[in-house]
Amino acid sequence: MLAPQAIDAQGHRTMTNAESIGIRCEAVGSVYHTRSGAIRALEDVSFSAHGHELVSIVGPSGCGKSTLLRIIAGLQQPTMGRVLYEDGLGKKGRPRSGLVFQEYGTFPWMSVLDNIAFGLEMEGVNREERRARAMDFAERLGLGSFVHHYPRDLSVGMRQRVDIGRAFVSEASVLLMDEPFGSLDAQTRWVLQAELLRIWQASRKLVVFITHDIEEAVLLADRVLVMSGRPGMIREEIPVPIARPRDIPRDQQCVRDITWRIWRLLEKEVRIGLSIR
């Protein structure tokens, strides 16, 4: 799925095909207007994500994480502020973005192979090349023997792998992932976390990854951005000093320490949201 090109409150529309894309949010805010009045979803969100990074975002439920991702993708314009995109040569513009959501987005009338190749088809890649590239990713994701099957024949985890394959195989410079493993059981999550890292380490595209799972954020990311409750803003930016390539170091004390540090930042607001004192 390719995101629209709108990038800021003024609706500027440009694009770059740069391989290394950076994102900079500058004082991004978002206000929803309802019958009960205005709701501030985001306020003064500012951060940068550099080319080839994997950046995780965590925060309490309802803090605007998904709204922020939609703004970065160009699916929604900010009420205030702007999002800038820049490649390594200093060229600004709206890059292609691959999107992966918690609710898998496979097309039920398409085979696994055609689902993975869909983004390439939208980009105008010829049939032979897109099917060859999609087949390569299907095999890397353990779906090689299922390429002619349809989503109804697959488990939830396998359908999620199809979504991930479609995002990574595309020409997108930036991957935006909104709770992609949120609906999966723990064992499947572990497998897909490892597969995501393996594929990302080969492609090194910029990934912005939203999750409610603090440990997941730490295990995958170079940096974790911790958001406040609504209106959401960046409370703290926490680097994850674990070497790459990374083999899901769940048992490292460093992982436990960072996970606990993030929880301490979030605990009070999570309890307030649950009305637990």
Side-chain angles (χ1 to χ4, degrees), residues 152-171:
R152 63 177 178 270
D153 304 320
L154 308 179
S155 68
V156 173
M158 292 170 75
R159 277 176 277 183
Q160 202 69 59
R161 277 184 270 171
V162 173
D163 272 5
I164 292 170
R166 182 167 59 206
F168 271 94
V169 77
S170 75
E171 301 289 347

Side-chain angles (χ1 to χ4, degrees), residues 12-31:
H12 297 151
R13 296 172 181 269
T14 54
M15 180 171 287
T16 178
N17 292 319
E19 293 183 1
S20 175
I21 300 293
I23 295 172
R24 187 165 77 250
C25 291
E26 295 185 347
V28 169
S30 180
V31 177

Side-chain angles (χ1 to χ4, degrees), residues 81-234:
R82 60 179 180 170
V83 181
L84 299 176
Y85 304 86
E86 187 168 345
D87 65 22
L89 300 176
K91 299 177 181 178
K92 296 181 176 62
R94 174 72 182 89
R96 290 171 172 165
S97 299
L99 307 178
V100 183
F101 298 100
Q102 177 176 345
E103 296 82 12
Y104 44 83
T106 51
F107 300 114
W109 59 89
M110 289 185 181
S111 69
V112 166
L113 190 65
D114 288 337
N115 263 287
I116 294 175
F118 179 74
L120 294 176
E121 183 178 1
M122 294 298 98
E123 292 162 7
V125 177
N126 68 68
R127 186 174 187 274
E128 182 178 355
E129 180 182 348
R130 69 175 182 259
R131 289 177 71 85
R133 289 167 61 179
M135 187 68 202
D136 175 62
F137 263 85
E139 290 175 346
R140 291 166 65 179
L141 287 165
L143 297 169
S145 60
F146 292 89
V147 291
H148 300 302
H149 289 245
Y150 288 82
R152 63 177 178 270
D153 304 320
L154 308 179
S155 68
V156 173
M158 292 170 75
R159 277 176 277 183
Q160 202 69 59
R161 277 184 270 171
V162 173
D163 272 5
I164 292 170
R166 182 167 59 206
F168 271 94
V169 77
S170 75
E171 301 289 347
S173 302
V174 178
L175 297 186
L176 306 173
M177 310 184 80
D178 190 0
E179 288 278 351
F181 308 144
S183 61
L184 304 179
D185 62 83
Q187 296 93 333
T188 304
R189 285 178 74 116
W190 282 27
V191 170
L192 291 187
Q193 286 167 359
E195 288 184 351
L196 172 61
L197 268 189
R198 178 172 55 83
I199 295 171
W200 173 80
Q201 284 167 177
S203 68
R204 296 304 297 271
K205 297 183 180 185
L206 171 57
V207 175
V208 180
F209 188 98
I210 286 178
T211 179
H212 278 95
D213 187 323
I214 298 173
E215 183 188 59
E216 179 173 75
V218 175
L219 290 171
L220 298 178
D222 297 298
R223 290 181 293 136
V224 180
L225 306 180
V226 183
M227 292 186 67
S228 69
R230 192 172 65 210
M233 56 187 71
I234 304 299

Side-chain angles (χ1 to χ4, degrees), residues 26-52:
E26 295 185 347
V28 169
S30 180
V31 177
Y32 292 97
H33 295 280
T34 70
R35 292 180 180 178
S36 302
I39 297 175
R40 291 183 300 153
L42 297 170
E43 184 173 282
D44 196 26
V45 174
S46 298
F47 71 91
S48 295
H50 311 294
H52 309 310

